[in-house]
């Protein structure tokens, strides 16, 4: 019996053996958007969530999918903090992309600068969002939000969302 090949990268952009891989590490590490990171992490679970929840939900597809993912992970508050934070962060990231991206795609140099900026912001947003996932408890999560990143990050996301209504 032939063994399955390990997940390898054909190029920095395409991941081989996606049906067998849980994640495309290169695409996660180099993600220039929150969605790009999520799409390449836990690939098969993301496909399942899309089929089961996102494609069937009549409204609030992304939010409901994040809530289902939190419920799927378990009862620890850190899971709910993570997934309920991920929803407005992703929504705000989409809004920011719609506002700024067209200013940067006119030249290769500007696009490169845009990619660097969005990579840095994405890494910070991911760190901010997934920290409660590892902490799991409420008090350490609130302490993290309070001392490492001010809670105003949440407020900024909600203000960006309201701007697009």
């Amino acid at each position: 019996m032939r063994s399955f090949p390990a997940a390898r990268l054909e190029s920095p952009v395409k991941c081989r053996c996606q049906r067998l891989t849980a994640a495309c590490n290169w695409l996660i590490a180099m993600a220039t958007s929150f969605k790009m990171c999520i799409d390449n992490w836990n690939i098969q679970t993301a496909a399942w969530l899309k089929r089961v929840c996102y494609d069937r939900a009549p409204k609030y597809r992304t939010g409901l999918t994040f809530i289902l993912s939190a419920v799927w992970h378990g009862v620890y508050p850190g899971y709910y903090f993570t997934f309920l934070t991920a929803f407005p962060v992703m929504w705000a990231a989409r809004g920011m992309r719609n506002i700024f991206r067209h200013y940067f795609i006119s030249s290769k140099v500007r696009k490169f600068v845009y990619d660097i900026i969005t990579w840095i912001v994405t890494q910070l947003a991911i760190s901010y969002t997934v920290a409660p996932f590892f902490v799991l408890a409420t008090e350490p999560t609130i302490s993290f939000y309070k001392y490492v990143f001010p809670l105003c990050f949440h407020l900024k996301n909600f203000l960006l969302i309201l701007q697009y209504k």
Side-chain angles (χ1 to χ4, degrees):
M1 178 180 223
R2 185 175 167 215
S3 64
F4 292 111
R8 289 170 287 188
L9 293 174
E10 279 181 357
S11 72
V13 180
K14 190 172 182 178
C15 187
R16 289 177 42 186
C17 306
Q18 276 196 333
R19 290 186 179 187
L20 304 174
T21 2
C24 272
N25 295 332
W26 175 262
L27 294 175
I28 292 168
M30 301 310 290
T32 56
S33 73
F34 199 78
K35 184 181 183 322
M36 184 178 177
C37 184
I38 289 172
D39 287 347
N40 289 291
W41 181 260
N42 232 343
I43 295 168
Q44 291 306 307
T45 303
W48 176 81
L49 284 167
K50 184 179 184 307
R51 283 191 309 272
V52 169
C53 185
Y54 187 86
D55 290 343
R56 295 179 183 185
K59 284 180 135 183
Y60 312 111
R61 293 175 166 193
T62 305
L64 290 172
T65 304
F66 279 125
I67 290 169
L68 176 60
S69 190
V71 170
W72 177 260
H73 278 84
V75 297
Y76 289 108
Y79 298 141
Y80 294 90
F81 276 107
T82 294
F83 290 105
L84 294 176
T85 299
F87 175 59
V89 168
M90 183 179 271
W91 208 357
R94 286 179 186 169
M96 296 301 288
R97 179 183 167 97
N98 290 338
I99 291 172
F100 292 110
R101 187 167 190 272
H102 66 277
Y103 293 116
F104 290 90
I105 58 173
S106 59
S107 74
K108 287 185 179 186
V109 173
R110 284 183 172 187
K111 176 70 169 83
F112 182 72
V113 169
Y114 175 80
D115 287 342
I116 290 171
I117 292 168
T118 55
W119 178 80
I120 291 168
V121 171
T122 298
Q123 298 309 311
L124 290 171
I126 290 167
S127 297
Y128 177 83
T129 304
V130 301
F133 193 91
F134 299 107
V135 176
L136 295 178
T138 304
E139 283 185 39
T141 298
I142 298 298
S143 294
F144 170 78
Y145 285 148
K146 198 176 192 180
Y147 297 109
V148 178
F149 293 103
L151 278 172
C152 64
F153 193 78
H154 273 86
L155 182 61
K156 286 180 205 173
N157 286 325
F158 287 115
L159 291 175
L160 282 170
I161 291 167
L162 293 175
Q163 181 180 355
Y164 289 99
K165 290 269 177 176

